[in-house]
């Protein structure tokens, strides 16, 4: 067996490890993750390496995602003494890669990632910067529609909506109201508040269904791509839902918790909701459906930094072992995150839990998009989200296409200024 496998949950302790309160040994491999629900998965992988590394300590340190991001920023800027596996979305890792704080993967790891039988090109590219492999793909966040089948049946609706017009029609029929006409159960829960990145990403999902994109790529550069008819269609949908027909409001319960409590009929979210709902609302009758055109996919990769050459080798071996089919099937079945590796048979999990079908059984023309790996992406999303939040609640925009387009143009101008400041604005 490995010498030790330990989990250390750091609730708010971004500074604990850095300050030396928590220490590790020379032969430790530390895993910094932002998804605590994956602790059991990492422990399984560690156990599987016990024959090859009988004296290796694997220390799993889960922490909330936002604190994890702060911890990584502080750790990489200060330097990591121990071999540390960093669980990061590719667009987040890029800011450290371009500043030489994360080093390229060794040759054997690059060969594994570049093998088309292991990963599709989409996931290979998100693990690279300028063609060089820095991380090993492991899992992704990907959206699908969750809908309450009892509520649809009560509203006389058969099957899920399949077009954006139908999403609006369903939302109107599914909204439950009090005697004064105020919504008490939303027909379609939209992301209206919270972190700026999440607000902008969820808007981008709807924008994608209309054929649009937040950022247009031109060579190695980008420009704002939403101040047009596609962006207007997506913004109109939100403004009308929130300030027009009011099928949802900012004050209403939202997201998975609302869905599980039957306070909303539909919402778009990632596959982790399936496992979460099994625990929190096991009797809820619901199904999932693919989105009309495609989904955001936020691939999470494993990167390695710090430690001795020997410990780094063990850490990279861990990242590859994490992609063994038996571990990936366990992760999908027990946690709900979607593995990125190709050629793995998930049919047994889908047969037992058919809600996963909308995440793994996809139409051939289904289109993924992801956040580009550019340094200012978080600032772009946060600033854009601020414009969106104001617009959603502005009743004067209802039915006023020209005014909504001006909102988008003003925001796009700000987006382009950020891109220009970063030296990556497409002319």
């Amino acid at each position: 067996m490995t010498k030790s496998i330990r989990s250390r949950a750091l609730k708010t302790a971004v500074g604990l490890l850095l300050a030396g309160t928590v220490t590790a040994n020379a032969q430790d491999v530390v895993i910094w993750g932002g998804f605590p629900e994956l602790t059991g998965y990492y422990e399984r992988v560690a156990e599987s390496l016990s024959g090859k590394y009988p004296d290796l300590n694997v220390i799993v340190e889960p922490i909330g995602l936002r604190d994890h991001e702060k911890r990584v920023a502080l750790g990489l800027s200060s330097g990591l003494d121990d071999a540390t596996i960093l669980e990061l979305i590719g667009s987040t890792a890029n800011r450290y890669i371009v500043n030489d704080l994360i080093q390229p993967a060794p040759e054997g790891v690059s060969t594994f990632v570049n093998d088309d039988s292991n990963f599709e090109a989409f996931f290979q590219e998100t693990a690279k910067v300028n063609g060089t492999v820095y991380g090993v793909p492991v899992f992704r966040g990907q959206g699908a529609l969750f809908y309450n089948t009892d509520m649809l049946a009560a509203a006389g609706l058969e099957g899920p909506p399949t077009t954006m017009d139908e999403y609006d029609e369903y939302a109107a029929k599914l909204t439950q109201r009090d005697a004064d006409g105020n919504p008490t159960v939303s027909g379609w829960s939209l992301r209206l508040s919270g972190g700026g990145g999440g607000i902008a990403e969820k808007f981008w999902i709807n924008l994608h269904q209309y054929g649009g994109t937040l950022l247009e790529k031109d060579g190695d550069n980008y420009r704002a791509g939403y101040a047009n008819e596609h962006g207007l269609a997506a913004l109109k949908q939100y403004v009308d839902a929130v300030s027009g027909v009011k099928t949802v409001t900012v004050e209403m319960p939202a997201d998975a918790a609302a869905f599980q409590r039957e306070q909303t009929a539909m919402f778009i979210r990632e596959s982790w909701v399936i496992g979460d709902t099994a625990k929190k609302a096991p009797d809820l009758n619901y199904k999932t459906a693919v989105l009309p055109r495609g989904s955001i996919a936020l691939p999470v990769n494993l990167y390695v930094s710090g430690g001795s050459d020997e410990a780094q080798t063990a850490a990279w071996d861990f990242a590859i072992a994490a992609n063994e089919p038996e571990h990936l099937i366990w992760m999908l079945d027990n946690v709900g995150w979607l593995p990125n590796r190709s050629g793995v048979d998930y049919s047994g999990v889908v047969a037992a839990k058919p809600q996963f079908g909308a995440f793994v059984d996809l139409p051939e023309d289904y289109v993924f998009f992801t956040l580009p790996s550019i340094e200012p992406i978080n600032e772009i999303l946060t600033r854009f989200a601020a414009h969106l939040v104001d617009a959603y609640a502005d009743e004067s925009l209802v039915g006023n296409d020209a005014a909504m387009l001006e909102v988008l143009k003003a925001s796009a101008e700000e987006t382009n200024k950020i891109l220009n400041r970063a030296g990556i604005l497409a002319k």
Side-chain angles (χ1 to χ4, degrees), residues 132-422:
T132 298
V133 173
Y134 283 84
V136 177
V138 59
F139 70 94
R140 66 187 182 274
Q142 173 188 318
L145 178 71
F146 290 74
Y147 62 98
N148 184 305
T149 53
D150 291 338
M151 290 185 182
L152 262 68
L157 298 168
E158 295 185 7
T162 59
T163 67
M164 294 311 279
D165 285 344
E166 286 187 352
Y167 270 65
D168 294 333
E169 294 167 7
Y170 273 52
K173 293 180 180 179
L174 290 165
T175 301
Q176 299 177 31
R177 303 179 185 275
D178 62 21
D180 296 322
N182 299 310
T184 56
V185 173
S186 61
W188 178 17
S189 180
L190 299 169
R191 178 66 67 86
L192 305 175
S193 60
I199 292 171
E201 287 171 17
K202 297 303 184 290
F203 178 89
W204 198 343
I205 291 174
N206 285 21
L207 174 62
H208 182 72
Q209 312 314 313
Y210 287 107
T213 182
L214 199 69
L215 295 175
E216 295 176 352
K217 194 172 191 296
D218 186 352
D220 293 328
N221 296 324
Y222 296 82
R223 67 174 67 89
Y226 54 86
N228 50 37
E229 69 275 16
H230 307 302
L232 177 60
L235 184 57
K236 283 175 64 175
Q237 185 173 59
Y238 271 86
V239 169
D240 192 48
V242 178
S243 295
V245 295
K246 292 184 171 61
T247 54
V248 65
T249 67
V250 176
E251 297 78 18
M252 296 183 78
D255 212 72
F259 187 72
Q260 291 159 356
R261 296 169 184 162
E262 299 190 77
Q263 295 168 318
T264 189
M266 305 188 302
F267 80 130
I268 295 172
R269 208 62 164 98
E270 297 88 359
S271 57
W272 64 263
V273 173
I274 297 171
D276 193 61
T277 300
K279 298 174 183 176
K280 297 177 180 177
D283 297 326
L284 184 70
N285 295 318
Y286 76 99
K287 292 183 179 180
T288 61
V290 296
L291 304 181
R293 182 172 180 266
S295 171
I296 193 172
L298 296 177
V300 174
N301 306 314
L302 299 180
Y303 302 84
V304 175
S305 183
S308 65
D309 291 343
E310 180 183 6
Q312 281 209 4
T313 297
W316 284 117
D317 281 353
F318 184 100
I320 291 177
N323 276 283
E324 287 295 321
E326 62 180 291
H327 302 316
L328 298 179
I329 292 170
W330 187 93
M331 175 171 64
L332 181 64
D333 190 25
N334 291 274
V335 183
W337 285 112
L338 300 173
N340 292 339
R341 189 172 184 181
S342 303
V344 180
D345 183 6
Y346 301 111
S347 60
V349 178
V350 176
K353 301 174 181 178
Q355 288 93 345
F356 280 118
F359 293 93
V360 298
D361 298 330
L362 304 174
E364 289 187 5
D365 59 350
Y366 209 63
V367 180
F368 283 147
F369 73 93
T370 193
L371 302 182
S373 295
I374 55 176
E375 194 165 6
I377 185 61
N378 288 334
E379 181 181 3
I380 289 170
L381 294 176
T382 300
R383 290 184 178 275
F384 180 49
H387 291 276
L388 292 176
V389 170
D390 289 342
Y392 296 162
D394 188 349
E395 294 188 0
S396 72
L397 294 179
V398 176
N400 192 338
D401 289 6
M404 282 187 278
L405 190 57
E406 287 303 313
V407 170
L408 294 171
K409 287 180 178 178
S411 181
E413 183 177 350
E414 184 176 44
T415 294
N416 286 334
K417 285 181 180 179
I418 297 170
L419 292 167
N420 187 53
R421 189 178 69 227

